[in-house]
Amino acid sequence: MTVDELRSDLTARLGEQVEQVFTRDGAPVEDITELYQPSPAGFGGQLRLKCSGRRLAWELWLEDGDRWNFHTTDLADAPPQAE
């Protein structure tokens, strides 16, 4: 999966266009491997929504070996990250 494919998947899950994907630390993502964490197996980081400009923290993890769970948290109270 590429970063563009992930952005499309996150857009479908949220129902709002994801403009950019960032690492957990807020750095722009260049490769999907920057988002992977081995335990629990999955991916996570931050994202920015195109229309509203909102920033969210997100996690996508594999549960029971065959089901993906997804969770977001609004980062509205967090200071803006450098891009």
Side-chain angles (χ1 to χ4, degrees):
M1 179 180 283
T2 67
V3 174
D4 287 339
E5 290 169 333
L6 175 64
R7 191 168 51 242
S8 292
D9 181 75
L10 294 172
T11 293
R13 290 175 186 276
L14 291 167
E16 191 173 343
Q17 187 172 5
V18 173
E19 180 176 28
Q20 192 166 5
V21 179
F22 304 92
T23 64
R24 286 174 177 82
D25 296 331
V29 171
E30 295 180 20
D31 189 88
I32 192 96
T33 59
E34 297 174 79
L35 302 171
Y36 181 73
Q37 65 181 26
S39 182
F43 299 86
Q46 298 180 22
L47 59 83
R48 182 175 54 226
L49 300 174
K50 186 169 186 170
C51 292
S52 65
R54 287 178 38 218
R55 286 184 74 109
L56 304 173
W58 63 275
E59 298 289 332
L60 180 65
W61 69 96
L62 190 59
E63 189 169 293
D64 300 330
D66 65 347
R67 188 170 51 111
W68 287 94
N69 281 331
F70 180 66
H71 176 73
T72 61
T73 303
D74 202 326
L75 294 176
D77 297 332
Q81 300 285 331
E83 293 179 32

